[in-house]
Amino acid sequence: MAFCLALLAGLLVRPTAAQVPDSVSADTAEPAWRTALPALTVTATRVPAAPSDGPARLTVLDSTALAQTGAASVSDLLEERAGLYVRQYGPGGLATVSLRGTGASQTAFLLDGHRIGDPQLGQLDLRLLPTVLLSSVEVMHGPASPLHGSDGIGGAVHLRSRRPTASLQAHTSVQGGAFGSRSTNVFVGSKGDQSSVVAAAEYRYTDGDFPYTDDALFPPRTVRRQNADRKHLSLYSAVRTRWANHNLRVAGWATTVERGLPGPSITASNDERQWDTQLRLWADDTIQQPWGTLTLGGFVQHSRLRYADPDQNLDETGRTWRSSLEAEARVPLTDQWLVTGGLTAARATARHPSLAQNAHEQQGAAFVSGRGTLGRLRVFPAVRLDVYHMPGADPQGSVNPRLGVNWQPLSGVEALRLKAHAGRAFRTPTLNDRYWQPGGTPNLRPERGWSVDAGALWHGPLGRIEASVFTNWRRDQIVWRPSGNGYWRPANIQRVRARGWELSAEQQWPLPGAVQLQAGLTYTYTDARNRSAPGTDTYNAPLRYVPRDQMKPHLTVSWGPAALDLNARYTGRRFVTSDGSRSLDPFALLDAQLRLSHRLAGVRTTISAQVDNALDTDYTVVNNHPMPPRHLSLRLGASF
């Protein structure tokens, strides 16, 4: 850790798509492979490629999606627009994702290219990630381990932080709403000749005391949620500077959250509370070379989670650290082939009263990926070797290959693309899985899986439509079960098969009278089943909390300074027992937002009114965790 912190001052990390064009000075000639690829992304390829040119389904949620949804957190944004399922334990509780039938710890989460999952818990609470600090969110569907390492069985979610701006900018907003909610944020950015800086801050608070019907009472009656308040503060800053052939960026993100934990509605109200504190520091130096680009970088993450339950006389604090260093070279071999390769080293450590003292792991990886053009066929091979070492266990390795293709079937018709994608993925056991006392098992095997998908994409000047089918198999999935000695312990026992299809479409229509209409739809069908223990009640049963059907339509009508946003979603039934005997009812929701903007003397003001759950649907996402009824919020913003 000290070594990584010492290196962080000079830092060095792979470029994101937005960085590549800035890595060369104005008087340096750009290689043809760079100038020919606008709107680049590296989430699904590790080499520059436009989203329509890649081999995998990629959903990009940019500033337009942020404005149209009014989402305050990453969980809200993904829930509204992405083709995945967000499992949330109430409006202020833990929020995780399920992508293509995988669990909360089987999707890789990246921040500007760095893995940010918690090494102790193996999952990320999306409720703690505010959107005000982000420029976009990308969701890659399919095996991500050949590109990004552990956890990428279902795919990857890539958070892009806000970049230093090209001119002096400032934005601020305040918001207030039902149940005591209020928030304020501010963003400033400026750019000089050789350097630029950006800073952002946000504060949010809510009482969370919404009314709901408590069916556990007799007779059932309406009560208010207790101990559901939460307080959230986030700070972010980034600095970029250029000299000679270097492009250096250093960034930091601090978050602190205090919240009550009301627990299931069937239990009596309690005073449980949780404090989450997270600090992330990262940097990158992209160096232009005659043969291509070299990127060196580092990342440090520290998390602190304190949990207190006065009724149980319990007050415990856990701390985790994750640090990594990486070197990546990007080399255009020919006009048709671009190759990326590199090395990475990482260390994760956790401290908790219930963890063994030596709860840590070390990891090293070597990777290579490429992009080749063979006429109308684009080929994306990749392979990555990961090696992990943990105290008390034998070193473990995983080789994960991938091959993806993108084909233009009709000569001269750039709009139509066919995609196919196959690869191997894995997930290492968490530090809790290995070192929790009692129960941890140091010699657990990594979870492993294969995934195959294929699809078609049509993209034109006014919209796009994409359909894909997928199948994935997983083995050695880790399940905690009773040990017979009064405690639970993990074991590699579960096999899973998931298959389904995905459809997404977006279209824009300019109408008479300067009216603009934008509509979109995302639909997912997922059939995920337990394929372990033949002959038992759970064999071939659907996985818990994986909805078979999800549909998310949205519509925006804009006219001059006014815009009306409608965001709906339908979620099918979710099974809550491992044998598929009980399930939660499907539900449909509608959120509506009206935005009005006005510009005067270089200042743009925006007023918006948002109604969440406009149909006043009575629903739960997780059993016995009620969700709020219809409620209103108002926001006032100003941009300079």
Side-chain angles (χ1 to χ4, degrees):
M1 173 67 71
F3 176 67
C4 291
L5 285 171
L7 284 183
L8 194 62
L11 293 210
L12 321 145
V13 170
R14 81 180 73 104
T16 65
Q19 288 173 289
V20 174
D22 293 336
S23 62
V24 189
S25 59
D27 58 351
T28 303
E30 294 267 358
W33 57 265
R34 181 177 300 162
T35 57
L37 294 171
L40 306 184
T41 176
V42 295
T43 301
T45 60
R46 282 199 81 105
V47 298
S52 59
D53 291 340
R57 168 180 284 270
L58 184 69
T59 303
V60 180
L61 304 173
D62 57 12
S63 58
T64 300
L66 292 173
Q68 292 175 348
T69 60
S73 67
V74 171
S75 63
D76 296 335
L77 179 64
L78 296 178
E79 185 180 42
E80 294 277 10
R81 291 292 179 89
L84 48 73
Y85 176 61
V86 177
R87 184 194 300 186
Q88 49 180 323
Y89 293 77
L94 173 70
T96 61
V97 302
S98 173
L99 179 57
R100 289 188 170 179
T102 57
S105 59
Q106 294 171 327
T107 297
F109 276 86
L110 311 170
L111 173 61
D112 289 343
H114 304 282
R115 290 179 56 219
I116 58 174
D118 189 293
Q120 179 184 346
L121 303 175
Q123 60 189 19
L124 188 66
D125 189 350
L126 306 182
R127 186 75 61 189
L128 307 182
L129 304 175
T131 57
V132 69
L133 310 182
L134 302 175
S135 62
S136 66
V137 177
E138 299 175 1
V139 180
M140 172 194 166
H141 301 243
S145 292
L147 303 175
H148 305 295
S150 178
D151 306 342
I153 294 179
V157 177
H158 198 163
L159 312 178
R160 305 281 191 184
S161 67
R162 300 190 73 156
R163 298 282 163 173
T165 59
S167 60
L168 177 62
Q169 295 183 9
H171 174 80
T172 184
S173 71
V174 293
Q175 181 176 357
F179 321 126
S181 65
R182 51 193 181 271
S183 68
T184 182
N185 62 66
V186 61
F187 164 82
V188 294
S190 66
K191 182 176 182 179
D193 293 337
Q194 297 295 325
S195 62
S196 54
V197 63
V198 64
E202 181 185 63
Y203 173 81
R204 282 187 279 151
Y205 176 83
T206 181
D207 294 327
D209 57 344
F210 61 88
Y212 70 99
T213 301
D214 191 344
D215 294 325
L217 301 176
F218 185 79
R221 65 177 184 268
T222 299
V223 298
R224 283 192 172 271
R225 200 72 163 132
Q226 300 295 317
N227 191 40
D229 62 294
R230 59 186 184 275
K231 184 192 305 180
H232 190 141
L233 175 65
S234 292
L235 303 172
Y236 167 79
S237 183
V239 178
R240 174 182 289 178
T241 184
R242 293 195 294 181
W243 77 96
N245 59 342
H246 293 260
N247 185 12
L248 175 66
R249 178 173 181 257
V250 181
W253 182 354
T255 299
T256 178
V257 179
E258 178 186 352
R259 54 183 164 177
L261 302 178
S265 58
I266 59 175
T267 62
S269 178
N270 53 50
D271 296 321
E272 295 176 74
R273 298 194 71 78
Q274 182 171 304
W275 293 261
D276 297 86
T277 303
Q278 299 175 344
L279 174 65
R280 298 180 177 97
L281 302 172
W282 68 103
D284 57 85
D285 187 13
T286 302
I287 309 167
Q288 182 65 30
Q289 301 289 343
W291 43 263
T293 59
L294 173 66
T295 304
L296 305 170
F299 175 79
V300 175
Q301 172 177 287
H302 172 57
S303 301
R304 178 181 180 271
L305 190 155
R306 177 190 171 196
Y307 168 79
D309 184 354
D311 295 338
Q312 302 293 327
N313 196 28
L314 185 66
D315 193 335
E316 295 182 339
T317 300
R319 297 175 173 84
T320 64
W321 294 264
R322 180 193 293 276
S323 56
S324 63
L325 296 171
E326 184 170 288
E328 178 184 281
R330 182 172 296 164
V331 183
L333 297 182
T334 67
D335 290 340
Q336 287 75 39
W337 278 96
L338 174 62
V339 176
T340 295
L343 302 171
T344 182
R347 177 182 174 87
T349 305
R351 296 287 183 266
H352 189 275
S354 296
L355 283 176
Q357 291 298 314
N358 60 350
H360 68 267
E361 68 176 17
Q362 296 172 323
Q363 176 258 340
F367 57 87
V368 61
S369 62
R371 174 187 184 273
T373 302
L374 305 172
R376 299 196 303 270
L377 180 68
R378 294 173 174 85
V379 183
F380 298 87
V383 64
R384 179 178 171 118
L385 167 65
D386 286 90
V387 178
Y388 287 80
H389 178 262
M390 293 71 60
D394 298 330
Q396 296 178 343
S398 182
V399 178
N400 296 281
R402 186 194 82 162
L403 179 62
V405 295
N406 183 298
W407 181 43
Q408 178 188 338
L410 302 177
S411 178
V413 183
E414 288 279 346
L416 178 62
R417 299 296 176 86
L418 302 181
K419 299 181 179 184
H421 184 218
R424 190 171 188 258
F426 79 108
R427 182 185 80 89
T428 59
T430 67
L431 296 180
N432 271 4
D433 292 335
R434 297 183 186 278
Y435 302 113
W436 192 261
Q437 300 295 318
T441 307
N443 277 308
L444 285 169
R445 298 184 300 276
E447 300 176 351
R448 304 182 189 275
W450 281 92
S451 182
V452 178
D453 58 60
L457 166 69
W458 176 274
H459 63 103
L462 296 180
R464 55 184 285 149
I465 182 170
E466 184 171 7
S468 54
V469 295
F470 66 87
T471 300
N472 63 58
W473 305 266
R474 308 193 294 274
R475 61 182 176 88
D476 289 335
Q477 190 154 302
I478 298 170
V479 176
W480 284 70
R481 59 180 182 172
S483 65
N485 297 317
Y487 59 86
W488 292 55
R489 70 181 311 161
N492 297 102
I493 61 173
Q494 193 170 45
R495 293 174 177 263
V496 175
R497 185 218 65 206
R499 58 190 178 188
W501 60 279
E502 302 155 324
L503 173 68
S504 60
E506 286 193 357
Q507 185 72 31
Q508 299 181 36
W509 296 273
L511 302 179
V515 176
Q516 294 284 334
L517 187 65
Q518 180 181 346
L521 171 71
T522 298
Y523 175 81
T524 60
Y525 172 87
T526 305
D527 181 25
R529 296 183 178 271
N530 183 356
R531 303 291 289 182
S532 49
T536 65
D537 292 340
T538 60
Y539 180 73
N540 209 37
L543 296 188
R544 298 173 64 240
Y545 288 108
V546 178
R548 179 166 295 188
D549 299 280
Q550 277 200 115
M551 183 184 300
K552 301 178 181 181
H554 63 87
L555 173 68
T556 294
V557 182
S558 57
W559 178 58
L564 174 64
D565 306 305
L566 300 176
N567 296 279
R569 59 187 183 275
Y570 167 83
T571 301
R573 63 175 179 163
R574 290 86 63 216
F575 293 95
V576 298
T577 55
S578 57
D579 61 356
S581 59
R582 291 195 300 116
S583 63
L584 296 178
D585 293 334
F587 62 86
L589 299 174
L590 174 65
D591 299 333
Q593 178 180 234
L594 178 63
R595 293 177 285 144
L596 299 173
S597 61
H598 178 69
R599 181 182 296 275
L600 178 64
V603 179
R604 181 185 181 89
T605 58
T606 303
I607 300 175
S608 64
Q610 183 168 341
V611 180
D612 291 316
N613 192 5
L615 302 178
D616 204 21
T617 302
D618 185 7
Y619 73 105
T620 59
V621 179
V622 173
N623 200 24
N624 298 318
H625 289 268
M627 299 298 289
R630 178 172 50 231
H631 56 285
L632 172 69
S633 62
L634 301 174
R635 181 188 295 115
L636 173 63
S639 299
F640 306 88

